[in-house]
Amino acid sequence: MTVDEKRKLELKTMYQIIGIYCHNKHHTSKGHLCEDCEHVWEYAEHRINACPHMESKTFCSVCKTHCYEPTYREKIREIMRYGGPRMLLVSPIQVIKHIYLEWKDKKRG
Ligand SMILES: [Zn+2]
């Protein structure tokens, strides 16, 4: 997987997870984000696009360098905790890929 593909997959996964969270928690219609979640997404998107570690790391959720600011970090952690497992129902292959990459990275050290 190239760095660019990784970045795109991370963006797609992040957007889907925020979407699931917002739809279930804030009762927004599918494919839409409320204002709060839109801000979180814009922030995450910006960080992912600007991430200097994309080549060596897997996903921002498992990155050692926490470039998210504390307020957003908490919010994103909450969203990941909620939306992560639910991704399994929506997009199993993508989640398996995610887990595999995470595992591979941990194993390497
Ligand atoms: Zn929302």
Side-chain angles (χ1 to χ4, degrees), residues 3-60:
V3 176
D4 204 45
E5 281 168 346
K6 241 201 256 183
R7 204 184 292 269
K8 275 190 191 126
L9 181 64
E10 165 123 25
L11 283 167
K12 201 177 150 203
T13 306
M14 185 61 106
Y15 189 78
Q16 280 177 330
I17 290 173
I18 295 175
I20 291 166
Y21 176 87
C22 190
H23 177 67
N24 290 349
K25 288 264 183 181
H26 306 143
H27 311 290
T28 41
S29 53
K30 275 214 164 79
H32 292 275
L33 297 177
C34 71
E35 209 177 308
D36 274 4
C37 294
E38 184 72 41
H39 282 158
V40 174
W41 160 242
E42 274 172 18
Y43 184 80
E45 185 186 30
H46 177 77
R47 302 302 333 187
I48 292 165
N49 279 328
C51 180
H53 310 291
M54 198 49 83
E55 203 170 338
S56 56
K57 72 163 195 171
T58 52
F59 283 85
C60 286

